Amino acid sequence: MQFDDDANLDTSEVSDQRGSRIPGGRATIGGGIAGLIALILGIIFGVSPDQLGLSSGNPEPQATSSGLSEVQQSCRKGRDANAREDCRLVAVVNSTQDFWRQEFARRGGTYTPASTVFFTGRVNTACGAATSAVGPFYCPSDRKVYLDLGFFEQLRTQFGANGGPFAQAYVVAHEYGHHVQNLTGTLRRAQDGQQGANSNAVKVELQADCHAGVWAHNATRTPDESTGRPLITTLTDQDIRDGLDAAAAVGDDRIQEKFQGRVNPESWTHGSAAQRQQWFYQGYRTGDMAQCNTFR
């Protein structure tokens, strides 16, 4: 996965709250059983704190930090994305939103951007307060993606994914798939409280995987607004294999087998490893969001 060295990165699409301090030090999700449940459920992507039922329900003090954020200081050009993980994620956010902005316009619609928040430890959101144990998630109430970069090490060491730059890109693109669903009205289908292999919750997650694949198909041909050239210059077959591997690693069946020792499809919320791979590849193969109808 390579980026145009001379491209300008738009750091305004990322809020870097790493190292911020929340006065009072209260964490919504503690250790022990609650933390483990959050890790198992939240880490398979897309679950906001209120959906997990782990939000305190009380307003938390706002985080404070000092100085210019790390990404604003260090992530200026595509060459920075080729050299640094956090800058690479800024570039992925830029590329993902470039594509959806242009895709919505092509279809006669208007794309409303969503920012990504980098945080460490804990974060306040319009969906409630959360700790890193929840994993990456999208909050529809404030239209933001939340990400502790330490998750990617967990994805590799705890869940057995191969890792790699595109595995990280897949995670980000999946969360922006939820943002697309929020804009199109599909996301609300997951709010019926049902779970299981045929539930709307699973169908929404699989569609977000498909949306991630659609972006990947188009990433190297989507012009960046600042240069008129694609921000991502190269995606290899190995990149796509890493994305498929990451999708499989966070399938409900893999998660349940690893942490519970048994598979129970009646409690699925995100789909099996095979389903997640299938729908990511469906999007990647076709490059067409119209082919992402998981509700048929």
Side-chain angles (χ1 to χ4, degrees), residues 180-190 204 207 211 295:
V180 169
Q181 291 171 322
N182 194 28
L183 296 178
T184 59
T186 306
L187 190 61
R188 69 172 69 100
R189 295 195 185 193
V204 162
Q207 187 179 68
H211 287 338
F295 296 90

Side-chain angles (χ1 to χ4, degrees), residues 3-19:
F3 301 88
D4 178 357
D5 280 343
D6 296 322
N8 296 315
L9 300 187
D10 183 1
T11 57
S12 71
E13 294 186 340
V14 174
S15 172
D16 190 358
Q17 296 182 17
R18 292 174 296 172

